[in-house]
């Protein structure tokens, strides 16, 4: 079974300790090798230097080799001639150094271990002078070198664990300091719930990784809070809208059942109930459209259309509503306005805008639909001679269930403009509003040119695909 630290702090401590251990071991190995090489080279050089001095003396004094004892009595040297000892240092045999050296015509240096486990560096060579052949050897004690290396190894062996322990403690402390913002973020995140979406993660430093993570998370929480609040408002508004026709239906039924009624009164009660059912049906259909928009399940089917033809089709469908209010419904579509769009979405958007204009335009007023193509875009404008929209309402008229005049709640559910905005933006366009209080309003659908929209796209509710 693979075991690993369960916390980031423990993993950081482990990784930091492993990195320090690797660095220390590498440093110790390099230092040990360098020191050993340096000391070995020094011993070799010392042995060769002694050997060179003795060889020089033998070359200059081949007949007086025995005088080497007077020349340097402390030197560990050996001089052989034809296998016979010509000179041997006093301590040579006592120290257990070799009694003879076989070289032939060669020279060499080597490490020699005596029977008493003492180490000496030996160097030997042959010297030929005055027709005589000598074998000269010199020895240097390497025990101080080995003791120095042993001391160095012990120093590293004792200091490295201590340094590693200190590094582990330092890594644990540094890990705690580094992860302190994460702990505070975790504590703050535990307090966040659907009822406490106002809580936010602390941002100690917005420029480091934790700060950027906290900032991004807070922005996501802002969007989530906005979405949940919008859903709550949507649920509350939908409940309110449903309650109104249901109350009307129930009241009509209770009045009809309270006492015997005439056939005409029953017909009026049934008509009121059917009117309430019609309102519920219209509201349900609109809510289904918005649910489809929110889920992103609607997939557009763009096709080549004439925006002017769509405008005329909507005018024909809603003409009777305008006639009921004695409104003038004018069509300004002299020229074709080709566009590549989804027919259902475009007609739904135009129909909602015209229906909204008819609802809020007083009797005898005027509603005009214009479809034009210019500046690389197609525009469908719906103008009315209604009361206009005040500045404080313009930014919210496309919100669901929002009404500029709450007293006119019976005129609709407040979903028409929201659906129109989704339908236009789902097709890659946008809606512009131009209104002046007391002088009517103009809603303009702006769609890209056909060449830029000739592709099928999956729709994202409330924005471009």
């Amino acid at each position: 079974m693979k075991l690993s630290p369960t916390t980031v702090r423990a993993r950081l401590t482990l990784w930091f300790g492993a990195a320090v251990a690797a660095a220390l071991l590498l440093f110790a190995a390099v230092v040990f090798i360098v020191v050993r090489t340096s000391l070995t080279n020094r011993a070799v050089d010392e042995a060769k230097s002694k050997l060179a001095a003795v060889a020089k003396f033998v070359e200059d004094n081949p007949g007086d080799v025995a005088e080497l004892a007077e020349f340097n009595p402390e030197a560990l040297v050996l001089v052989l001639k034809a296998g016979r000892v010509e000179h041997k240092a006093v301590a040579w045999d006592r120290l257990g150094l070799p009694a003879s050296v076989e070289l032939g015509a060669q020279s060499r240096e080597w490490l020699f271990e005596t029977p008493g486990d003492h180490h000496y560096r030996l160097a030997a060579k042959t010297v030929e002078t005055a027709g005589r052949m000598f074998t000269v050897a010199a020895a240097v004690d390497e025990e101080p070198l080995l003791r120095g290396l042993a001391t160095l190894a012990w120093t590293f062996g004792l200091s490295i664990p201590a340094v590693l322990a200190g590094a582990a403690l330092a890594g644990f402390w540094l890990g705690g300091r580094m992860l302190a913002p994460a702990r505070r973020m975790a504590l703050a995140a535990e307090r966040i719930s659907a009822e406490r979406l106002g809580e936010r993660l602390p941002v100690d430093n917005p420029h480091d990784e934790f700060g950027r993570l906290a900032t991004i998370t807070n922005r996501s929480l802002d969007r989530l809070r906005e979405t949940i609040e919008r859903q709550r408002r949507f649920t509350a508004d939908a409940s309110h809208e449903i309650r109104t026709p249901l109350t009307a239906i129930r009241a009509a039924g209770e009045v009809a059942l309270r006492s015997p009624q005439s056939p005409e009164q029953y017909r009026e009660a049934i008509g009121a109930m059917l009117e309430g059912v019609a309102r519920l049906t219209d509201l349900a259909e609109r809510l289904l459209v918005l649910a489809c928009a929110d889920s992103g399940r609607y997939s557009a089917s763009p096709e080549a259309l004439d925006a002017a033809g769509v405008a005329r089709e909507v005018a024909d469908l809603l003409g009777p509503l305008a006639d009921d209010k004695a409104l003038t419904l004018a069509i300004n579509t002299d020229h074709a306005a080709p566009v590549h769009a989804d027919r259902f979405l475009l007609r739904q958007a135009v129909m909602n805008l015209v229906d909204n204009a008819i609802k809020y335009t007083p009797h005898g007023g005027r509603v005009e639909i214009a479809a034009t193509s210019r500046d690389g875009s197609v525009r469908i404008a719906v103008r009315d001679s209604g009361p206009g929209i005040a500045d404080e309402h313009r930014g919210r008229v496309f919100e669901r269930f929002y009404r500029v005049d709450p007293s006119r709640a019976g005129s609709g559910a407040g979903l028409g403009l929201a659906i129109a905005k989704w339908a236009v933006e789902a097709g890659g366009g946008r809606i512009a509003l131009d209104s002046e209080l007391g002088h009517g309003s103009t809603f303009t659908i702006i769609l890209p040119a056909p060449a830029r929209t000739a592709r099928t796209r999956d729709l994202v509710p409330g924005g471009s695909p």
Side-chain angles (χ1 to χ4, degrees):
M1 183 175 63
K2 182 179 179 181
L3 298 177
S4 60
T6 58
T7 64
V8 175
R9 187 177 188 182
R11 289 197 293 271
L12 285 175
T13 303
L14 180 62
W15 295 339
F16 183 74
V20 172
L24 285 176
L25 290 175
L26 179 61
F27 172 77
V30 170
V31 170
F32 187 83
I33 292 173
V34 169
V35 171
R36 186 184 64 179
T37 302
S38 176
L39 294 177
T40 300
N41 291 337
R42 184 182 302 175
V44 171
D45 292 341
E46 184 178 353
K48 288 182 178 180
S49 176
K50 288 184 177 181
L51 179 64
V54 173
K56 177 64 173 172
F57 183 89
V58 172
E59 288 178 356
D60 294 342
N61 306 281
D64 300 321
V65 175
E67 296 181 4
L68 274 172
E70 299 178 2
F71 176 71
N72 191 353
E74 301 297 330
L76 292 175
V77 297
L78 173 67
V79 180
L80 302 175
K81 176 183 177 184
R84 291 181 295 107
V85 177
E86 291 289 315
H87 170 75
K88 182 189 296 186
V90 175
W92 191 274
D93 291 331
R94 178 171 53 82
L95 297 176
L97 295 173
S100 63
V101 178
E102 298 293 337
L103 289 178
Q106 299 178 350
S107 63
R108 68 187 181 109
E109 62 85 15
W110 72 100
L111 185 64
F112 181 79
E113 183 176 356
T114 68
D117 297 328
H118 209 86
H119 297 81
Y120 288 88
R121 177 70 56 178
L122 270 69
K125 65 183 294 188
T126 58
V127 177
E128 185 178 359
T129 178
R132 303 171 187 178
M133 187 70 69
F134 295 90
T135 300
V136 182
V140 174
D141 188 1
E142 276 204 352
E143 285 303 314
L145 179 152
L146 298 177
R147 285 195 298 271
L149 290 178
T151 302
L152 181 63
W154 274 102
T155 301
F156 282 142
L158 295 175
S159 62
I160 287 179
V163 173
L164 287 179
L169 292 175
F172 190 77
W173 179 78
L174 286 175
R177 290 292 302 272
M178 291 176 60
L179 295 174
R183 288 197 299 273
R184 289 193 290 272
M185 290 166 57
L187 292 175
E190 288 182 350
R191 296 193 298 267
I192 298 175
S193 63
E195 292 73 26
R196 302 181 64 179
L197 283 176
E199 296 281 348
R200 290 295 177 267
L201 303 185
V203 181
D204 296 333
N205 181 3
H207 304 293
D208 64 10
E209 287 78 2
F210 289 119
R212 288 196 293 271
L213 176 61
T215 300
I216 293 172
T217 303
N218 288 338
R219 291 174 182 171
S220 300
L221 290 173
D222 290 337
R223 292 191 294 269
L224 178 61
R225 180 183 182 184
E226 181 181 351
T227 300
I228 292 178
E229 290 181 351
R230 185 166 60 247
Q231 289 178 346
R232 287 174 176 171
R233 290 197 305 268
F234 179 81
T235 302
D237 292 338
S239 300
H240 175 75
E241 292 295 333
I242 293 174
R243 187 184 301 113
T244 300
L246 285 177
T247 302
I249 294 173
R250 180 176 180 178
E254 289 177 348
V255 170
L257 293 176
R258 186 174 299 130
S259 60
Q261 304 287 328
S262 65
E264 183 64 28
Q265 290 173 325
Y266 280 124
R267 282 194 295 270
E268 290 179 1
I270 294 173
M273 295 172 69
L274 290 176
E275 183 179 351
V277 171
R279 287 189 60 189
L280 282 175
T281 302
D282 179 69
L283 177 60
E285 291 177 351
R286 292 174 181 267
L287 290 176
L288 285 175
V289 171
L290 290 176
C292 182
D294 289 340
S295 64
R297 292 193 303 266
Y298 187 87
S299 180
S301 301
E303 57 181 299
L305 300 174
D306 180 12
V310 174
R312 287 191 291 268
E313 181 181 348
V314 172
D316 293 339
L317 289 173
L318 300 182
L321 294 180
D323 293 339
D324 289 343
K325 295 184 65 175
L327 300 179
T328 300
L329 184 57
I331 308 297
N332 184 7
T333 56
D334 295 337
H335 303 285
V339 67
H340 203 79
D342 183 285
R343 176 179 291 276
F344 169 78
L345 291 178
L346 182 58
R347 186 174 63 177
Q348 185 72 39
V350 178
M351 186 176 298
N352 284 7
L353 293 180
V354 175
D355 179 67
N356 188 75
I358 291 174
K359 286 179 181 178
Y360 291 97
T361 300
H363 280 71
R366 177 183 175 86
V367 176
E368 179 183 351
I369 309 173
T372 58
S373 177
R374 69 171 188 272
D375 300 332
S377 63
V378 174
R379 299 168 182 259
I380 303 176
V382 179
R383 304 182 182 90
D384 63 64
S385 59
I389 301 174
D391 293 341
E392 62 269 20
H393 298 294
R394 292 178 190 173
R396 302 189 60 189
V397 293
F398 293 104
E399 295 181 8
R400 300 172 185 183
F401 298 106
Y402 183 80
R403 296 185 181 89
V404 175
D405 185 2
S407 65
R408 299 188 61 183
S411 62
L415 298 175
L417 292 181
I419 294 176
K421 183 175 184 292
W422 165 76
V424 172
E425 292 183 348
R430 61 186 178 90
I431 289 184
L433 170 60
D434 183 19
S435 181
E436 183 178 353
L437 197 61
H439 294 81
S441 303
T442 300
F443 290 86
T444 304
I445 298 174
I446 304 173
L447 297 172
R452 297 174 56 190
T453 61
R455 60 186 179 94
T456 302
R457 51 170 67 88
D458 290 334
L459 302 183
V460 176
S464 300

